[in-house]
Amino acid sequence: METILLTEEEKNNIFPYKKVFILSTILKDIFENYFNYRQYKRLKENRPIPKELVPLGLDQKKHEESNKYSKAKLEFLIISSICPNIIDLLIIYFDLYPIQYNISRKACTYFRFNPEKEYGPLMMFIIFELIRWEIISLPFEIYETFVLEEKFGFNKTTIKTFITDQIKTFSLYTIFLPPIVSILVYIIIKGGKYFYIFTEIFFIIVVFIFMWIYPNFIQPLYNKFKELEEGELKDGIFNLAKSLDYPLKKIYEMDNSTRSAHSNAYLFGFGKSKRIVLFDTLIKRLETKEIVSVLGHELGHWKKSHFIFNMLFVFTYIFILFYLLQFFMYEKSIFIDFGFTQKSTFIGLYLFFQIYSPMSYFINILQYFMTRKFEYQADNFACEIGYGEQLKTSLTKLTEENKSNLDPDPLYSMVNYSHPTLVERVRAINKFLDLKSKKN
């Protein structure tokens, strides 16, 4: 690590990075909470249920129940996001990160790490950050699980399961995050002028490794999986996969009911070894043809190569970030303005992502726009293969079960939802089916 020395002229011309970060974070929070306010106001209005949903079995009472849940979730979201943001801003404003980094360096001596090298202080700093975030987030997670979700009948998690899940999650972050960041810092140091090319390659490798590790080794730490029993449902899914040339090898049932009443299904696997996972809550809630229609939608994502488009978006985004990093990472005024007296590759990386973080909110909005388009395309695909009506009923049942908001504020849903709302999807499905019937 190198001590930062500035001339008098440089000291007088330091760009106010810290003030820009604090101001941009506050502006982002104002922007975000403006949409939260719009949604909160709409929920209090108790608007009538959209007319397209009435024939599907939803009524005003169910609409009001979903509004109550959405309102409680929104109130929790606002509080649980504002509190950590205030803490982060105070840490930045009072230059507490340099103090934490110095403590990390001193802690290295207890573990026989060299405090003058990058990697020992880096690992200790990350562990301290994980501990800090666990302390901050734990009360909110307890409230969300045992008060909010319990109140609306979703929570199935026991105290024992909650505690063991917390220990597992913290342990996994502690095991994986420090070495991954250490390798990343090593690549940046050794990569030279074009380090961003090597960091992109490393990121792609890590993503694909975790796509294999997560469903095969990490997810089983939390849930039990068993192969789906022989019967009409299993035959229907395999027949659908075969008709679409999807190389399905196994179908699993996951015991999600031990933690939550929410339902879902997902696909995973590489090459010619694909697998499908169904939540047990989904199997209990939907009829066979409705479950097959949901998987028709999921297979629509596969058929339309949406996964590839999403990966290209993420990889391009990461490449741009690391390309921009080279212009800021060793800028002396950034370190000085945030209270550091020594340059470090890791701290330069950390500060860059801190400064950039308010922008990520707006990138997410762009990504949501893209994923919503993909959802419509997957719905259309399910309609094309003959599951349009079943998809409508299955989406309705899942929305009802999850108490999802039936009529959110349009601007709020635009900036917060990765999926179209139920009424938007039903309208699109009806339109597609009408056009299909006219052609026939």
Side-chain angles (χ1 to χ4, degrees):
M1 285 182 287
E2 175 189 347
T3 302
I4 301 171
L5 299 174
L6 297 178
T7 64
E8 286 299 319
E9 183 179 353
E10 287 176 324
K11 289 179 182 178
N12 295 329
N13 292 289
I14 291 177
F15 185 80
Y17 287 102
K18 185 163 72 174
K19 290 181 180 178
V20 169
F21 167 73
I22 292 173
L23 180 61
S24 61
T25 300
I26 292 172
L27 289 174
K28 186 270 293 181
D29 288 345
I30 292 172
F31 185 82
E32 186 175 7
N33 281 294
Y34 164 72
F35 294 112
N36 290 338
Y37 167 75
R38 287 179 60 98
Q39 173 69 350
Y40 192 79
K41 184 179 176 182
R42 191 176 182 97
L43 290 170
K44 290 179 70 176
E45 291 174 355
N46 285 326
R47 296 163 62 90
I49 188 171
K51 60 182 180 180
E52 294 90 345
L53 303 182
V54 175
L56 296 171
L58 295 174
D59 55 32
Q60 190 63 26
K61 183 180 178 181
K62 293 173 182 176
H63 183 35
E64 289 172 3
E65 287 176 0
S66 73
N67 279 355
K68 288 178 183 178
Y69 179 60
S70 297
K71 184 170 172 284
K73 287 280 286 186
L74 184 58
E75 289 169 345
F76 172 77
L77 172 68
I78 292 170
I79 295 171
S80 63
S81 61
I82 287 178
C83 290
N85 285 350
I86 291 173
I87 292 172
D88 283 347
L89 289 177
L90 290 174
I91 289 172
I92 292 291
Y93 183 79
F94 290 106
D95 291 337
L96 298 184
Y97 275 131
I99 295 173
Q100 180 177 323
Y101 190 68
N102 288 333
I103 293 172
S104 301
R105 293 182 64 192
K106 290 178 181 178
C108 287
T109 57
Y110 293 100
F111 298 93
R112 298 184 179 180
F113 295 139
N114 186 345
E116 299 304 318
K117 299 291 185 180
E118 285 277 356
Y119 308 105
L122 175 162
M123 288 190 282
M124 296 309 302
F125 187 92
I126 290 174
I127 290 171
F128 287 144
E129 277 292 273
L130 290 174
I131 293 171
R132 180 174 73 85
W133 271 108
E134 184 68 19
I135 293 170
I136 293 170
S137 63
L138 187 58
F140 295 108
E141 291 182 37
I142 292 172
Y143 179 86
E144 182 178 20
T145 303
F146 295 106
V147 179
L148 180 57
E149 294 292 292
E150 185 76 32
K151 179 181 177 180
F152 289 94
F154 290 120
N155 178 48
K156 306 299 177 184
T157 305
T158 63
I159 294 174
K160 180 182 177 181
T161 301
F162 181 84
I163 292 171
T164 55
D165 282 356
Q166 291 293 319
I167 293 170
K168 289 174 188 176
T169 302
F170 183 82
S171 300
L172 287 168
Y173 273 113
T174 305
I175 290 168
F176 286 111
L177 196 56
I180 288 173
V181 177
S182 296
I183 295 171
L184 181 62
V185 168
Y186 178 83
I187 292 171
I188 291 171
I189 293 172
K190 297 296 183 180
K193 185 178 178 181
Y194 300 106
F195 73 84
Y196 50 88
I197 296 174
F198 302 107
T199 56
E200 175 75 0
I201 295 170
F202 173 68
F203 180 80
I204 292 172
I205 292 171
V206 168
V207 166
F208 280 103
I209 288 174
F210 271 90
M211 283 174 57
W212 175 70
I213 289 176
Y214 183 80
N216 290 293
F217 300 101
I218 296 178
Q219 189 67 46
L221 293 175
Y222 297 88
N223 296 97
K224 292 180 181 179
F225 294 80
K226 65 177 182 180
E227 283 201 51
L228 188 65
E229 295 178 357
E230 298 293 332
E232 183 185 2
L233 177 58
K234 189 173 184 178
D235 292 342
I237 295 171
F238 268 108
N239 289 336
L240 174 64
K242 185 178 180 180
S243 69
L244 300 174
D245 296 322
Y246 182 75
L248 178 62
K249 295 298 181 183
K250 292 183 179 181
I251 306 170
Y252 294 104
E253 179 181 339
M254 190 182 90
D255 66 336
N256 191 64
S257 59
T258 58
R259 286 170 171 78
S260 173
H262 294 296
S263 301
N264 205 352
Y266 62 89
L267 320 176
F268 74 97
F270 291 99
K272 296 188 178 298
S273 183
K274 304 289 189 181
R275 293 166 173 80
I276 289 175
V277 173
L278 304 174
F279 287 19
D280 57 353
T281 47
L282 183 80
I283 296 172
K284 292 172 185 175
R285 178 61 176 161
L286 300 185
E287 297 176 6
T288 296
K289 287 187 177 180
E290 291 171 338
I291 295 173
V292 175
S293 75
V294 170
L295 293 173
H297 167 93
E298 295 301 328
L299 289 169
H301 287 304
W302 170 76
K303 202 73 173 178
K304 301 287 185 180
S305 302
H306 292 161
F307 168 77
I308 294 173
F309 285 113
N310 278 323
M311 286 295 99
L312 287 174
F313 179 89
V314 172
F315 293 153
T316 303
Y317 175 46
I318 293 299
F319 180 82
I320 293 171
L321 281 182
F322 279 103
Y323 178 80
L324 294 174
L325 174 64
Q326 66 180 312
F327 301 108
F328 295 91
M329 189 172 56
Y330 296 118
E331 176 63 38
K332 291 188 289 186
S333 60
I334 292 179
F335 290 90
I336 294 295
D337 203 41
F338 280 87
F340 290 90
T341 57
Q342 290 183 311
K343 282 201 293 186
S344 156
T345 301
F346 166 67
I347 293 300
L349 177 68
Y350 191 82
L351 292 179
F352 170 76
F353 281 99
Q354 284 280 8
I355 294 168
Y356 172 79
S357 59
M359 276 300 299
S360 63
Y361 174 76
F362 300 98
I363 299 298
N364 286 341
I365 295 174
L366 177 62
Q367 191 168 16
Y368 290 159
F369 175 79
M370 182 177 72
T371 56
R372 283 195 298 270
K373 287 192 68 175
F374 290 164
E375 292 302 317
Y376 284 126
Q377 291 174 10
D379 283 350
N380 287 347
F381 181 82
C383 293
E384 286 174 3
I385 59 176
Y387 289 99
E389 292 298 333
Q390 293 89 343
L391 183 61
K392 283 196 298 182
T393 59
S394 63
L395 290 174
T396 302
K397 287 182 180 180
L398 292 176
T399 299
E400 179 185 351
E401 179 192 39
N402 295 326
K403 289 184 168 64
S404 301
N405 188 227
L406 301 178
D407 189 26
D409 176 77
L411 289 180
Y412 177 83
S413 62
M414 182 186 75
V415 301
N416 287 284
Y417 287 6
S418 61
H419 287 54
T421 61
L422 176 62
V423 66
E424 290 171 333
R425 295 177 77 170
V426 168
R427 285 169 183 163
I429 291 170
N430 285 338
K431 183 178 179 181
F432 184 90
L433 293 176
D434 288 342
L435 289 173
K436 186 178 179 181
S437 63
K438 288 177 181 178
K439 288 180 181 179
N440 295 334

